[in-house]
Amino acid sequence: MPSSLQAVHNIPEICAQLGITDVVLSPGSRCAPLTIAFARHPAITVRTVPDERAAAFIGLGLAQAQRRAVALVCTSGTAGLNYAPAVAEAFFQQIPLVVFTADRPPEWIDQLDGQTIRQTDLYGRHAKGSFTFPTDTSHPDAQWHAARLVSEAINLAQQFPAGPVQVNVPLREPFYPKPDEELTFGPVKVMHELPGRSQLPAATLRELREVLRGTARVLVVAGQHPADVPLQLALREFATAWQLPVVGDLIANLHQPTAASHNQHPRFVGRQDVFLAVPEPGLKEALRPDLLITFGQSLISKALKLYLRQHRPARHWHIQAAGPVADTFQSLTQVIRMEPTDFFAALASRNEDTDSLSDAPSSPGQTEPGRNVLPADVTRVAPRPRLNWPAPAEADAAKAAYLRPWLAAENWATGFLADFMQHPNQQFNEFTTIFQALQLLPDGAALHLANSMAVRYANILGLPAGHGAGVFANRGTSGIDGCTSTAVGAALAQPERPVVLITGDVAFFYDRNAFWHNYPLPNLRVMLLNNHAGGIFRLIDGPRQQPELEEFFETRQPLTAENTARDFGLRYFPVSTFAELEAALPVFLSTEGGAALLEVFTDSQTNAAFFEQYRTLVRTSFALPT
């Protein structure tokens, strides 16, 4: 006997045909038809996570790691509201999620029926689209409509820019199949979409190339972006050909090698949080761009954002294939509708008559086709290194002159950090513990950085040159609410890849339900910085000067993670000295032994004092020549 809910039971088949293989489900009664259909589909992996907020972030982590859409399924009522933080994060980070929210039928909305809220368009403008599944699918046209809108929803989620969509599914009882009722999948019609790529006319490319030729001070800034080898290669060719600086936060993943023979030419800039803290007008002027080229999403570096807002370029191009574009630096003059990889590849040649670097005319700093010889690095001189560079000249020499201070500042900052972090007689602090952990991070790991101080510390410190780790952070909304769950989703998605999360105590304890499920996480390592407070508030001006700091901003807490580790089967490493850290880190980060939690106990006031010492020395250790 065929199912009376066949249109609902077809949903998993449509998902499977359109590339969705993972579903994160939170149990409930109203969603029973969806639960049964997904659980019985042979091509779909279903994971059950009771807490909807954690479940949604785990789904986000799965989608982020696999780079394809993941489905979420929940019951009616406030269950779907608990998805909202992850839905907003997915929207701003452009991660595809397809959210199936079971619902009461429309006649029972606002009638004081149990577990009933207004679920239509539940996420508003934080979803790319909202679809309502037909309540009655007995008519053939309704069945066609149901299949069509599920296809449309999945395709919309995956169209660039990707993002979350909601499919609200009103369901009437009975929910469960009868003993003689057969549950089948398909045949069902789906609509596939083939992606296209925007290309600019040759005349437009010539115009852009002429602007590049005529502009001495050209700066490329990369926003958050997943590791992408073709993009890296195109960007390196572009930067080499035009002798220009490329700047990006750690989450832009510019540090990653592009091949086994990878070298650091041209060297991308990532220490901007260090050298832009230098209160030196001459340095600021030397770095000022006339043309800014940006791609990717958000920036962590407040210093870079403020600098570019205060030193606005005459032109600002943002490269993005589709979707709304933010004017982050208040200087946007042109949106170029191309994939960044295609843009940099198309303009990697300085000559419009050739497509390869080998035919491009040589320029200062370039001695053979395709190989860049950077302007000479400036040697560090302690304790007050002095950097020198010539004033901008004409044409290509001016481009090399503009590149030089960026590389010199980067070189100075790298050396400064190396010296500062090895300073003897330090009190135990979280800034140095992160530095030491990053030096030992397994090559090729997925590094997840929780919001608040963990991501800021790591962005200042960076990874060793050429390190193969991919870096992830929930910087779409920059909330602390799902950082652990996102890392858990990544660990589930790629069980063969080490996943290392660095997090603070408030973010960790806020999201403990990330572990409340029955799935092993042998590749997950969590480094927890526990200073028993929201330590960031001691590091920023404003709250740290207020008498309400401890009670109302830091919200001090006495918790440790030992019980959490025991409850969820995580190996537990508590450390409170550098000697204990040095002994624990190699064992903790080893790929053997199973899931582990390293809890680093520090004092909030000590952390603040050490970080203030770092900031003071940054401001005073750099000087221009007299």
Side-chain angles (χ1 to χ4, degrees), residues 593-615:
L597 191 154
L598 175 71
E599 187 164 21
V600 179
F601 292 102
T602 62
D603 175 71
S604 184
Q605 294 185 24
T606 300
N607 292 329
F610 185 79
F611 196 66
E612 186 58 35
Q613 181 186 7
Y614 154 77
R615 293 199 290 197

Side-chain angles (χ1 to χ4, degrees), residues 37-372:
F38 276 113
R40 295 185 187 180
H41 196 283
I44 291 181
T45 299
V46 180
R47 297 177 177 91
T48 303
V49 179
D51 183 322
E52 283 89 1
R53 189 185 72 197
F57 276 106
I58 288 172
L60 184 146
L62 283 161
Q64 186 183 62
Q66 296 176 342
R67 302 193 188 185
R68 64 173 181 267
V70 166
L72 306 175
V73 175
C74 71
T75 193
S76 63
T78 56
L81 286 174
N82 283 294
Y83 282 167
V87 168
E89 179 65 31
F91 180 81
F92 288 109
Q93 209 181 137
Q94 299 176 1
I95 294 175
L97 294 177
V98 182
V99 182
F100 293 98
T101 52
D103 197 3
R104 291 293 197 275
E107 62 268 21
W108 285 107
I109 306 302
D110 290 329
Q111 301 306 308
L112 305 182
D113 205 25
Q115 262 183 266
T116 305
I117 64 171
R118 300 167 184 174
Q119 290 186 205
T120 301
D121 197 19
L122 189 60
Y123 309 110
R125 295 182 64 190
H126 290 116
K128 287 186 68 180
S130 180
F131 300 79
T132 299
F133 200 82
T135 307
D136 182 355
T137 57
S138 57
H139 193 279
D141 286 355
Q143 295 165 19
W144 161 76
H145 176 213
R148 191 192 78 221
L149 73 84
V150 174
S151 283
E152 289 176 353
I154 296 170
N155 287 332
L156 179 61
Q158 300 185 112
Q159 287 170 7
F160 184 88
V165 299
Q166 179 198 9
V167 180
N168 198 49
V169 186
L171 293 164
R172 293 193 178 99
E173 298 188 58
F175 302 142
Y176 302 94
K178 298 175 182 177
D180 61 343
E181 195 171 17
E182 182 182 0
L183 195 154
T184 60
F185 303 104
V188 64
K189 183 177 74 70
V190 301
M191 295 185 298
H192 294 273
E193 286 198 9
L194 298 178
R197 298 176 80 97
S198 299
Q199 297 292 335
L200 296 182
T204 303
L205 288 173
R206 282 195 294 271
E207 291 172 7
L208 297 176
R209 191 177 279 108
E210 284 303 313
V211 173
L212 285 170
R213 277 204 193 93
T215 308
R217 294 166 166 255
V218 182
L219 174 67
V220 177
V221 172
Q224 182 170 18
H225 201 284
D228 186 327
V229 170
L231 173 60
Q232 280 252 39
L233 291 171
L235 185 55
R236 287 187 180 280
E237 288 197 358
F238 178 81
T240 298
W242 294 98
Q243 287 285 287
L244 51 80
V246 178
V247 183
D249 288 331
L250 191 57
I251 57 174
N253 284 290
L254 298 181
H255 60 276
Q256 287 214 319
T258 52
S261 59
H262 170 79
N263 60 49
Q264 290 298 304
H265 296 295
R267 185 180 182 189
F268 293 154
V269 175
R271 310 286 189 188
Q272 60 274 8
D273 268 340
V274 182
F275 61 75
L276 285 176
V278 172
E280 175 51 67
L283 174 64
K284 299 293 199 300
E285 177 57 29
L287 302 180
R288 180 184 54 78
D290 291 328
L291 168 60
L292 174 65
I293 302 174
T294 59
F295 69 96
Q297 299 163 27
S298 65
L299 292 177
I300 299 169
S301 177
K302 186 176 181 179
L304 181 59
K305 283 188 281 192
L306 291 177
Y307 172 73
L308 290 173
R309 289 169 189 167
Q310 293 163 1
H311 299 78
R312 295 177 191 170
R315 290 186 175 94
H316 173 190
W317 300 346
H318 184 77
I319 317 304
Q320 183 174 306
V325 172
D327 189 8
T328 303
F329 310 113
Q330 301 177 311
S331 60
L332 187 64
T333 56
Q334 196 158 28
V335 178
I336 299 176
R337 292 301 188 183
M338 288 182 76
E339 294 284 349
T341 303
D342 295 338
F343 172 84
F344 292 119
L347 290 172
S349 170
R350 296 164 61 91
N351 187 340
E352 62 267 20
D353 296 327
T354 180
D355 294 325
S356 70
L357 276 173
S358 59
D359 296 325
S362 62
S363 59
Q366 187 170 347
T367 59
E368 61 180 274
R371 171 143 330 252
N372 180 34

Side-chain angles (χ1 to χ4, degrees), residues 413-531:
T414 301
F416 172 86
L417 284 171
D419 286 352
F420 182 80
M421 286 299 158
Q422 295 168 18
H423 195 277
N425 305 318
Q426 293 183 28
Q427 288 185 282
F428 192 61
N429 69 89
E430 56 192 19
F431 195 26
T432 304
T433 63
I434 291 181
F435 175 77
Q436 294 185 6
L438 293 178
Q439 306 311 301
L440 298 177
L441 189 72
D443 196 46
L447 174 62
H448 281 250
L449 299 168
N451 282 312
S452 207
M453 283 311 298
V455 71
R456 288 174 171 84
Y457 282 144
N459 197 54
I460 291 169
L461 295 168
L463 285 167
H467 200 288
V471 184
F472 304 87
N474 285 351
R475 298 303 292 179
T477 61
S478 302
I480 65 167
D481 36 7
C483 300
T484 306
S485 293
T486 304
V488 166
L492 291 170
Q494 297 177 315
E496 74 292 342
R497 185 183 194 186
V499 175
V500 179
L501 167 68
I502 301 178
T503 184
D505 51 346
V506 178
F508 178 84
F509 292 120
Y510 195 86
D511 194 22
R512 274 185 291 188
N513 279 354
F515 303 106
W516 184 25
H517 52 75
N518 298 319
Y519 307 104
L521 300 164
N523 56 326
L524 180 66
R525 306 291 182 269
V526 179
M527 181 178 180
L528 166 59
L529 309 172
N530 191 350
N531 55 43

